[in-house]
Amino acid sequence: MNIIAWIILGLIAGAIAKAIYPGNQGGGIFATIGLGILGSLVGGWLGSTLLGISTSGAFSIPGILFAVIGALILIFIWGLVTRRAA
């Protein structure tokens, strides 16, 4: 059940991050879920390591907030990587 919660959070965080970030990022539903899941890992790590904020619980406000922040960071990095390759 916990895996399903993180997948749903990944979908939500990825969709919010794509809506916030300017420009066209491309990718489908699976890219959005993957981006959100990786973003939640990055955001959770940043929140706990750098700020000392507990992000436990998939659907807590800090959990969602840091997942979106992490997804935004990953969108930015992905844009830098693909821009250089093109």
Side-chain angles (χ1 to χ4, degrees):
M1 194 64 180
N2 198 17
I3 293 172
I4 295 171
W6 282 107
I7 291 173
I8 293 170
L9 174 64
L11 176 63
I12 293 169
I16 291 172
K18 281 189 170 187
I20 292 173
Y21 200 81
N24 185 13
Q25 295 81 39
I29 186 80
F30 295 114
T32 301
I33 291 173
L35 174 74
I37 291 171
L38 290 175
S40 64
L41 292 174
V42 169
W45 177 80
L46 286 174
S48 64
T49 303
L50 300 179
L51 302 175
I53 297 172
S54 174
T55 57
S56 62
F59 291 107
S60 65
I61 298 297
I64 293 172
L65 180 67
F66 280 102
V68 171
I69 290 171
L72 285 169
I73 291 169
L74 291 180
I75 289 174
F76 175 74
I77 292 171
W78 183 253
L80 291 176
V81 169
T82 57
R83 191 173 313 137
R84 289 186 189 154

